[in-house]
Amino acid sequence: MLEITDLHASVDDKAILKGLNLQIRPGEVHAIMGPNGSGKSTLSHVLAGRPGYEVRGSIQFNKRNLLDLVPEERAWAGLFLAFQYPVEIPGVSNANFMRSALNQVRCQRGLPVLEASDFLKLIREKAALVQLDPSFLSRPVNMGFSGGEKKRNEIFQMAMLDPKLAILDETDSGLDIDALRIVAEGVTKLRREDNSFLVITHYQRLLDHLKPDIVHVLIDGKIMRTGDYTLALELEEKGYDWLKAETV
Amino acid sequence: MSEDPTVPLPEMNDNSEEDVLLNRWAEQDYEFGFVSNIDQEIVPKGLNEEVIRWISARKEEPLWLLDWRLKAYRHWLNMTTPQWAHLEIPAIDFQNISYYAAPKAATKLNSLDELDPEIKSTYDKLGIPLEEQLILAGVAVDAVLDSVSVVTTYKEKLAEKGIIFCSFSEAVREHPELVKNHLGKVVPYTDNYYAALNSAVFSDGSFVYIPKGVRCPMELSTYFRINAAGTGQFERTLIVADDEAYVSYLEGCTAPKRDENQLHAAVVELVALNRSEIRYATVQNWYPGDANGIGGIYNFVTKRGLCQGISSKISWTQVETGSAITWKYPSVVLQGDCSTGEFYSVALAARAQQADTGTKMIHIGKDTTSRIVSKGISAGRGQNAYRGLVKVRESATNVRNYSQCDSLLMGDRCGAHTYPYFEINSPDAQVEHEATTSKIEEDLLYYCQQRGLSTEEAIALIVNGYAKEVLDKLPMEFAVEARKLLAISLEGSVG
């Protein structure tokens, strides 16, 4: 599904990713952990196509060269990013935003545009998945939402757009225990044979729920170690310093 | 953000890709730029008393109206063009304009079937439904092509309720007392340069009278279209709502693409008597000129409502997307105690457009309230100014006003300016003013794109969200049109 080879990225001549390699197959859940400033968020934005990065290397996504595509083309191809800091859109209701986005995405994927009644059914169903109160659908996107509500809204949007690869950029930060469980259960319900998740996190907690297949440790712009779920447990116990020490 | 006008504008060399896109939208093509081939009667260019007498005679007007026109003309001769707006207006040669153009129709029309097919097709192209099914939509239409009113639909249906909705010329003939009582009472011909000019040469427009206690059962609507070259359009609208009456009125405007600038100097007067309400909505889409500022309409309009009666209400809503230059301040004089004035505005200045628009709320009566919501959008090299006055006379106790002026900037070559004026002479007035300026942040666009929206769609969505509070004030079918218009006005035809 995703194959990243020797990826370098820099902002204003400051190198952040320094030769990153990563492979994700359909149906897999990968977790990326790492200390602050190691390049985790940069990786997610480089994958989503945010402007402002100088990028080298190769990213193949379902046999397409991702770096050739603008952000919306990547979305059409099935890539979704749950933002660490979701933005607010004044005056545009969540439902309206999702209808515009879903219509466009479906159209690009060769699917018919949903009838109003089917759309309504779908948003209610997906909102229930993350226990998002239906009143949030008519409110402007993320306006006045609490931190936890914004994160749940991201997972709701993910459910609506049905991506092949979903990147969760620190979706767990700022969530209380209940919200974390709701988000994790939502994600778990969306897991299928043919879709994949890349979960970026600082903490063990979310991974307890999600049970990732593979855990990577990102330090100083490179994957320093890859292992199974037990690697996350080890990190929780020892911190990152022992790995950093190995780097030096 | 504002460009110093004395510094030549740099070409777009180091702009980001987004700026290039934003600027390209701002230069989008104009959809209504066609010209209709209609047999026209046009008075020779130039303005003098003879021309005014000719117009008045052509319209078979009574002597009092001719006298009023001539007084206005003589007053106008001693006036100078207003210079205080944040606008660069090239000198206008008032002798190089034809002051009357009309489709040549030999006889008066009795039904829609008799309308010149070419005129009808003009309105069809504009999407103006003149057909009978419009009754279902609840819209009655008066269509003004160049200087004369072409057809008014549903007059009979309205007449059953005693409502008068007709062209201004017809009102002068059929209801002279009503016209005489109210003409120039809200906007006297001495008011300003363009109002004086309009008073001298106005050729047609719409007239509405809603009798006591009548709620007008449908939206009344006028479409204005400038078609002839080398002409100006000077229409005059007068709406009177008697005690406890209610009316909602809509006005739309378009013009062909021409390299010349054409002058549109209209006057609208509203009179609301006791406990009556007038809602007046405009979707203005005159030809804005091209990206280099060639051509386009000069939209110099005086609109004012008088809340004459107690507990009366006047509400202006405007969506201004067209015109090369807009100079317009729909205002409310709150004379009756407990009366209410509202102004909701979206003004867009893209390409090389300039807009200086806003409102005046004049509080005279006690317990009067006013509300101002202005949303400016600047793109391309557009210059957008909000100018608003809140005036509270000594007599007006317990006045409340709330003003909100927001500006949205797209790209780095446009400008937004806010000029709020307050003259508060009553100690207990509560006056609030809020103003914000924002840009469409790159992060916001990126977020929308990540969800699968193209940049064009994202901008249309964001701009419509920004203007929502105003668009929500429009009747449903107009709101849909206005949303489309905002999106189109910001879209690019290139690439």
Side-chain angles (χ1 to χ4, degrees):
Chain A
M1 171 150 316
L2 183 77
E3 183 157 4
I4 302 174
T5 314
D6 195 27
L7 183 67
H8 294 257
S10 55
V11 174
D12 300 330
D13 292 331
K14 187 178 181 296
I16 299 171
L17 299 182
K18 303 168 180 172
L20 184 142
N21 297 295
L22 181 66
Q23 235 187 358
I24 300 178
R25 281 183 292 268
E28 289 180 347
V29 175
H30 287 232
I32 292 194
M33 304 184 76
N36 290 327
S38 59
K40 300 190 300 296
S41 282
T42 298
L43 174 62
S44 64
H45 287 303
V46 166
L47 287 171
R50 181 190 193 156
Y53 294 101
E54 187 84 33
V55 180
R56 271 192 299 124
S58 144
I59 307 175
Q60 293 291 317
F61 180 56
N62 286 332
K63 306 207 165 62
R64 296 180 73 178
N65 185 358
L66 206 63
L67 294 176
D68 286 346
L69 307 180
V70 295
E72 59 266 35
E73 289 171 330
R74 301 182 193 201
W76 302 337
L79 188 133
F80 182 91
L81 170 62
F83 281 60
Q84 185 181 3
Y85 304 109
V87 299
E88 301 180 344
I89 315 179
V92 179
S93 75
N94 237 347
N96 190 19
F97 181 56
M98 270 299 101
R99 200 183 54 211
S100 306
L102 185 65
N103 282 348
Q104 186 56 250
V105 164
R106 285 181 66 93
C107 180
Q108 294 292 339
R109 293 177 189 166
L111 299 167
V113 165
L114 284 185
E115 296 285 327
S117 58
D118 293 335
F119 175 75
L120 215 60
K121 225 179 106 193
L122 186 70
I123 53 170
R124 293 218 176 105
E125 180 195 318
K126 301 301 183 191
L129 192 74
V130 283
Q131 296 179 26
L132 196 65
D133 190 277
S135 67
F136 280 83
L137 301 174
S138 50
R139 283 171 55 180
V141 180
N142 294 327
M143 293 288 289
F145 288 24
S146 72
E149 287 160 351
K150 283 183 183 172
K151 295 299 178 72
R152 271 194 274 164
N153 198 30
E154 292 294 290
I155 303 303
F156 157 71
Q157 293 183 30
M158 179 179 95
M160 287 295 294
L161 298 174
D162 191 25
K164 291 268 175 272
L165 172 67
I167 304 157
L168 276 57
D169 188 4
E170 297 199 20
T171 301
D172 52 347
S173 57
L175 290 185
D176 60 34
I177 292 169
D178 291 331
L180 185 82
R181 182 180 45 79
I182 292 165
V183 163
E185 283 172 5
V187 172
T188 306
K189 283 180 197 152
L190 295 170
R191 280 189 73 170
R192 289 197 312 254
E193 292 278 297
D194 64 339
N195 63 14
S196 314
F197 293 84
L198 180 59
V199 182
I200 291 170
T201 181
H202 275 297
Y203 307 107
Q204 172 63 29
R205 273 189 331 195
L206 180 63
L207 303 183
D208 286 344
H209 291 281
L210 289 185
K211 300 281 186 298
D213 302 298
I214 296 169
V215 176
H216 309 274
V217 183
L218 183 66
I219 292 177
D220 195 26
K222 280 186 201 165
I223 303 270
M224 289 312 293
R225 181 152 305 196
T226 294
D228 61 11
Y229 175 59
T230 55
L231 178 59
L233 298 174
E234 197 177 356
L235 287 168
E236 184 76 4
E237 196 187 318
K238 297 191 194 164
Y240 296 111
D241 285 346
W242 60 283
L243 278 172
K244 280 188 194 165
E246 282 184 12
T247 334
V248 181
Chain B
M1 286 312 301
S2 174
E3 292 283 351
D4 180 346
T6 57
V7 177
L9 291 164
E11 283 312 304
M12 307 179 336
N13 40 20
D14 57 354
N15 285 350
S16 72
E17 201 176 321
E18 181 198 344
D19 281 334
V20 174
L21 262 177
L22 288 172
N23 289 323
R24 206 168 65 200
W25 286 328
E27 290 158 12
Q28 204 260 337
D29 213 20
Y30 181 69
E31 193 184 354
F32 302 99
F34 58 87
V35 180
S36 300
N37 298 312
I38 303 161
D39 208 3
Q40 294 270 358
E41 179 183 25
I42 299 180
V43 75
K45 285 178 179 177
L47 183 55
N48 52 50
E49 292 202 2
E50 278 318 297
V51 168
I52 293 166
R53 285 175 200 279
W54 185 90
I55 293 172
S56 187
R58 182 75 187 73
K59 306 192 83 63
E60 299 166 28
E61 285 176 356
L63 195 59
W64 64 264
L65 190 49
L66 174 63
D67 282 346
W68 191 74
R69 284 178 181 275
L70 291 172
K71 273 193 236 165
Y73 173 67
R74 287 162 197 157
H75 188 83
W76 176 75
L77 286 176
N78 293 314
M79 296 175 95
T80 51
T81 53
Q83 298 295 333
W84 40 262
H86 186 92
L87 299 169
E88 279 185 52
I89 307 174
I92 299 168
D93 181 358
F94 290 93
Q95 296 303 333
N96 195 31
I97 295 173
S98 167
Y99 288 86
Y100 186 88
K104 261 186 201 158
T107 50
K108 213 180 158 311
L109 304 170
N110 291 314
S111 86
L112 276 173
D113 302 336
E114 295 174 31
L115 188 62
D116 184 332
E118 186 68 27
I119 294 179
K120 191 159 172 310
S121 106
T122 300
Y123 285 110
D124 287 344
K125 272 184 226 168
L126 296 170
I128 302 164
L130 290 166
E131 263 63 43
E132 288 296 323
Q133 68 251 32
L134 243 171
I135 257 183
L136 298 171
V139 180
V141 178
D142 184 21
V144 178
L145 187 71
D146 290 322
S147 305
V148 298
S149 179
V150 185
V151 65
T152 307
T153 56
Y154 310 118
K155 206 156 42 179
E156 291 78 13
K157 191 173 161 57
L158 293 167
E160 286 168 19
K161 296 211 168 233
I163 294 167
I164 304 167
F165 176 39
C166 62
S167 73
F168 205 93
S169 314
E170 191 180 335
V172 169
R173 282 194 307 272
E174 308 287 328
H175 313 282
E177 286 311 305
L178 273 176
V179 176
K180 201 173 171 181
N181 279 342
H182 294 104
L183 179 69
K185 294 296 191 308
V186 186
V187 181
Y189 63 75
T190 50
D191 192 80
N192 68 71
Y193 189 83
Y194 297 106
L197 178 64
N198 173 287
S199 302
V201 303
F202 76 91
S203 37
D204 216 329
S206 294
F207 176 80
V208 176
Y209 172 78
I210 314 288
K212 272 186 189 157
V214 171
R215 202 181 157 84
C216 186
M218 55 178 78
E219 309 280 351
L220 300 183
S221 173
T222 301
Y223 270 87
F224 295 103
R225 171 90 182 155
I226 297 177
N227 192 54
T231 62
Q233 178 151 315
F234 307 92
E235 86 275 0
R236 200 159 179 117
T237 299
L238 173 58
I239 299 176
V240 181
D242 214 322
D243 295 350
E244 282 99 37
Y246 168 87
V247 62
S248 170
Y249 186 89
L250 313 163
E251 172 199 83
C253 351
T254 59
K257 264 166 102 158
R258 295 187 191 285
D259 288 344
E260 61 176 359
N261 293 110
Q262 285 179 287
L263 178 61
H264 172 248
V267 171
V268 176
E269 296 179 281
L270 312 180
V271 180
L273 301 182
N274 291 325
R275 291 172 296 277
S276 67
E277 179 174 354
I278 302 175
R279 308 179 70 88
Y280 193 106
T282 304
V283 176
Q284 185 265 107
N285 186 29
W286 295 120
Y287 177 52
D290 70 9
N292 300 315
I294 306 297
I297 304 292
Y298 293 163
N299 191 37
F300 300 159
V301 172
T302 307
K303 290 183 169 178
R304 194 174 304 150
L306 174 63
C307 282
Q308 191 175 319
I310 56 163
S311 300
S312 55
K313 180 174 177 183
I314 289 178
S315 181
W316 297 101
T317 303
Q318 60 172 24
V319 177
E320 305 278 320
T321 60
S323 298
I325 307 176
T326 294
W327 178 93
K328 176 182 170 187
Y329 315 89
S331 304
V332 184
V333 179
L334 297 145
Q335 189 183 61
D337 292 346
C338 303
S339 57
T340 305
E342 294 178 337
F343 174 73
Y344 295 96
S345 169
V346 176
L348 180 148
R351 305 174 186 81
Q353 284 174 278
Q354 306 177 62
D356 192 303
T357 184
T359 185
K360 291 189 273 187
M361 293 290 174
I362 315 291
H363 293 262
I364 299 169
K366 298 180 178 67
D367 303 304
T368 47
T369 47
S370 61
R371 182 177 174 85
I372 299 169
V373 177
S374 163
K375 304 271 183 178
I377 302 162
S378 310
R381 294 181 183 182
Q383 291 290 327
N384 209 332
Y386 166 80
R387 189 180 303 277
L389 168 69
V390 177
K391 185 170 180 166
V392 181
R393 294 254 185 99
E394 234 169 286
S395 56
T397 52
N398 195 28
V399 160
R400 276 174 301 154
N401 159 265
Y402 173 75
S403 308
Q404 183 191 330
C405 308
D406 297 329
S407 304
L408 184 69
L409 294 152
M410 294 166 57
D412 54 5
R413 297 185 301 165
C414 54
H417 317 269
T418 305
Y419 303 96
Y421 303 84
F422 298 94
E423 292 176 28
I424 314 297
N425 295 307
S426 174
D428 66 352
Q430 290 179 45
V431 176
E432 287 175 72
H433 177 84
E434 288 179 30
T436 67
T437 302
S438 51
K439 282 193 80 171
I440 293 188
E441 298 293 340
E442 207 169 60
D443 275 352
L444 183 50
L445 279 179
Y446 166 55
Y447 186 75
C448 294
Q449 286 170 297
Q450 208 302 304
R451 298 304 183 245
L453 297 170
S454 67
T455 320
E456 272 95 351
E457 290 171 313
I459 296 224
L461 200 73
I462 292 163
V463 167
N464 275 310
Y466 165 77
K468 183 172 187 290
E469 193 179 348
V470 175
L471 297 175
D472 280 354
K473 296 286 165 189
L474 291 171
M476 181 90 86
E477 57 273 34
F478 254 49
V480 172
E481 186 183 328
R483 280 194 193 98
K484 247 173 58 189
L485 208 52
L486 280 176
I488 291 170
S489 303
L490 290 168
E491 250 171 32
S493 59
V494 195

